[in-house]
Amino acid sequence: MKVLKFGGTSVGSAQRIKNVANLILADGQQKIVVLSAMSGTTNSLLEISGYFRQQNPVGAADVINRLEHKYSETIDELYVQDSNKQKAREVIREIFDYVRSFGNRAFTIFEERCIVAQGELMSTNLMNLYLLEQGVNVAFIPALEYMRIDKNAEPDFKYIEQNLKQQISANPDAQIYVTQGFICRNAYGEIDNLQRGGSDYSASIIGAAIRADEIQIWTDIDGMHNNDPRFVEGTQPVRNLNFDEAAELAYFGAKILHPTCVTPARMYNIPVRLLNTLQPEAPGTMISTVSEQDKIKAVAAKDGITSIRIKSSRMLMAYGFMSQVFEVFERYKTSVDLVTTSEVGVSLTIDNPKHLDDIVTELKKFGTVVVDPDMVIIAVVGDMAWDNVGFESRVIEALEDVPVRMISYGGSNYNISILIKAEDKIRALRALSAKLF
Ligand code: ADP
Ligand code: ASP
Ligand code: MG
């Protein structure tokens, strides 16, 4: 069985929902369909939560009313039969009543998670009813009944596999199983989520749990492009990526894929295909174990990076120094992306500055500490094996006019990463495209 995930734009209007329905019914095969919220909904739900947190019920009501109106219009356009319009209106009204009910109580992250979960619940309910109206044998499988994360926010695979299989076997003959991306329960049974963009991750977890034949991520572009199309013109789709290359690109900012999406698929060697709902015949990108040699595949940029340099001629060469430095980051549950060392210092980067002040205070025990905020990691990904001559030099040449703070190479066979200032990101991406592709 295949797992097909459709992102927010792909289900962003009544017409788009109909297109998705046509797409999933075309081959007549049984499949699991994972949906995101309609585009803009999750942002609106977060905005509503923001107003509730600020105890501004009028602000919240304004956004709620606008969002509800959008759903009401979608329902009018989506269904033919009045009875189905009525059913859909009831489902959506109940959800909006639920969202409004949060205006009368203390507001914490728990309430916010309950509110943001409603986007995926709405889109899947609309799709489910639409498929029923089309006479399809559809089974609605609620993610909150099987998708769960543990205390470390990692998927609880055993639980997911067991419970998902139960849900499926309750309806063995269904042609289409519709379920929500993004939302889950946490170790305490509360409503939680897999972070922004997490529906890709849901699809991959589901694919791994059922050992799917293929996981398809359907979005608004024809696959992974060789550079970020939001900043660079003339980017091209990359036809094949291996799991490592795809993971590096997703981790280093290629928004088309959630950073951890590849991991579950790779665990069971399930190919992941990136496809375009607006152009379904385009081949897209195939992510599998197949590697293409001697090729630079793509460039991506990860924003919001802080670099930290610790200068210490006294201790660097002493054994135990590095582990003491890293132990500080471990204590503050802050992961490190890039590391470079010299005889007199070590530089590293983090993407989560939450505990920066405490970390810096502790690092000052080891030497002089310099912090540079507002940095960007540019990752160039492809067959970067060290015996391939000339690839690094082309990357460096492309960036000859850009001030470079760190270069990291050799950590994997697939990546060279460069740290630059945020203000230089766009020209660096463009220079790399011009030189490499
Ligand atoms: P969805 O809502 O379907 O999950 P996303 O917005 O999360 O879609 O991801 C698709 C978007 O990712 C594209 O519209 C594109 O702007 C952006 N993107 C960033 N980098 C890349 C890349 N290297 N290749 C393709 N798309 C990219
Ligand atoms: N709806 C969620 C978001 O906007 C999850 C997703 O679309 O993948 O982040
Ligand atoms: Mg996405």
Side-chain angles (χ1 to χ4, degrees):
M1 188 149 61
K2 288 182 183 169
V3 177
L4 283 71
K5 175 258 167 177
F6 293 86
T9 325
S10 302
V11 292
S13 66
Q15 190 51 51
R16 295 256 166 95
I17 293 174
K18 292 181 191 178
N19 290 351
V20 168
N22 288 338
L23 244 160
I24 60 181
L25 295 171
D27 63 4
Q29 283 178 13
Q30 195 177 43
K31 49 182 70 78
I32 298 184
V33 174
V34 182
L35 300 184
S36 293
M38 293 177 78
S39 55
T41 296
T42 308
N43 286 344
S44 297
L45 293 170
L46 282 168
E47 204 184 339
I48 292 163
S49 303
Y51 281 121
F52 280 146
R53 193 178 305 107
Q54 301 302 325
Q55 311 216 324
N56 178 353
V58 179
D62 223 34
V63 187
I64 294 174
N65 293 343
R66 256 184 285 139
L67 192 62
E68 192 171 23
H69 182 68
K70 178 181 159 182
Y71 278 85
S72 159
E73 284 184 336
T74 306
I75 289 168
D76 280 344
E77 199 185 326
L78 188 56
Y79 305 100
V80 178
Q81 292 167 25
D82 282 340
S83 58
N84 286 329
K85 287 187 191 191
Q86 200 47 39
K87 269 187 212 157
R89 278 203 197 96
E90 270 160 35
V91 173
I92 298 298
R93 185 178 315 125
E94 227 172 84
I95 287 179
F96 278 100
D97 284 350
Y98 174 72
V99 171
R100 285 190 175 94
S101 74
F102 285 90
N104 312 320
R105 49 201 256 198
F107 203 86
T108 66
I109 184 74
F110 168 80
E111 281 76 22
E112 178 178 296
R113 288 176 186 146
C114 293
I115 290 184
V116 297
Q118 302 309 310
E120 273 67 14
L121 291 169
M122 292 198 279
S123 61
T124 47
N125 267 293
L126 293 185
M127 176 63 85
N128 183 53
L129 258 174
Y130 181 73
L131 292 171
L132 286 172
E133 183 170 83
Q134 304 304 306
V136 178
N137 184 356
V138 54
F140 190 74
I141 46 176
L144 298 179
E145 300 290 321
Y146 67 86
M147 190 59 84
R148 190 165 85 169
I149 50 175
D150 63 19
K151 284 188 179 146
N152 301 315
E154 296 291 335
D156 182 344
F157 276 104
K158 218 167 141 190
Y159 177 94
I160 294 167
E161 199 173 317
Q162 241 172 23
N163 287 274
L164 176 59
K165 282 185 177 157
Q166 231 169 49
Q167 294 281 331
I168 292 172
S169 58
N171 280 290
D173 302 325
Q175 186 190 343
I176 307 283
Y177 297 93
V178 173
T179 192
Q180 300 85 22
F182 180 57
I183 65 175
C184 63
R185 288 196 187 272
N186 60 26
Y188 313 100
E190 300 159 351
I191 294 181
D192 209 324
N193 61 66
L194 302 174
Q195 309 294 326
R196 293 305 306 268
S199 296
D200 302 338
Y201 197 24
S202 303
S204 184
I205 295 168
I206 293 167
I210 64 155
R211 316 288 191 267
D213 303 319
E214 186 171 290
I215 297 160
Q216 298 182 350
I217 307 288
W218 288 83
T219 181
D220 56 4
I221 187 164
D222 55 341
M224 178 74 77
H225 277 218
N226 57 9
N227 206 328
D228 195 320
R230 294 169 296 178
F231 306 112
V232 180
E233 277 175 29
T235 58
Q236 295 293 321
V238 180
R239 293 280 164 251
N240 292 289
L241 288 171
N242 69 31
F243 286 120
D244 288 309
E245 292 167 336
E248 301 257 23
L249 285 167
Y251 184 73
F252 287 112
K255 186 181 174 240
I256 185 170
L257 268 188
H258 184 270
T260 46
C261 162
V262 175
T263 313
R266 180 184 6 212
M267 213 152 52
Y268 295 103
N269 192 12
I270 301 168
V272 178
R273 208 186 273 276
L274 309 182
L275 294 157
N276 186 357
T277 328
L278 310 172
Q279 204 187 329
E281 65 295 338
T285 300
M286 180 67 151
I287 302 168
S288 67
T289 50
V290 177
S291 289
E292 286 173 314
Q293 284 177 348
D294 297 335
K295 261 193 174 170
I296 294 183
K297 293 294 188 58
V299 178
K302 185 172 177 181
D303 302 318
I305 303 294
T306 303
S307 79
I308 302 170
R309 180 166 56 199
I310 306 126
K311 251 177 81 179
S312 172
S313 50
R314 207 160 34 91
M315 291 183 77
L316 186 70
M317 295 313 286
Y319 56 80
F321 174 77
M322 285 295 188
S323 74
Q324 286 176 45
V325 167
F326 281 107
E327 203 267 328
V328 173
F329 290 90
E330 190 184 337
R331 215 170 324 123
Y332 289 99
K333 292 190 169 19
T334 300
S335 66
V336 171
D337 282 331
L338 303 189
V339 186
T340 56
T341 65
S342 82
E343 189 155 329
V344 291
V346 50
S347 279
L348 33 78
T349 69
I350 58 172
D351 63 3
N352 177 4
K354 192 170 160 199
H355 300 295
L356 182 63
D357 291 345
D358 291 329
I359 290 173
V360 168
T361 304
E362 297 219 19
L363 291 176
K364 282 183 174 163
K365 288 182 205 151
F366 307 125
T368 318
V369 180
V370 180
V371 174
D372 292 306
D374 302 324
M375 307 296 283
V376 165
I377 296 174
I378 304 279
V380 181
V381 171
D383 179 15
M384 293 284 182
W386 66 276
D387 46 1
N388 275 345
V389 177
F391 280 11
E392 317 82 74
S393 61
R394 283 168 66 203
V395 173
I396 304 299
E397 253 174 60
L399 297 178
E400 61 184 356
D401 297 325
V402 178
V404 170
R405 168 75 181 77
M406 280 168 75
I407 300 175
S408 169
Y409 172 68
S412 83
N413 275 340
Y414 303 103
N415 178 318
I416 172 165
S417 298
I418 292 132
L419 186 72
I420 59 170
K421 283 191 258 171
E423 66 199 53
D424 293 325
K425 167 175 135 174
I426 295 178
R427 71 185 177 107
L429 288 177
R430 289 179 182 159
L432 283 163
S433 258
K435 185 82 184 173
L436 301 177
F437 307 123

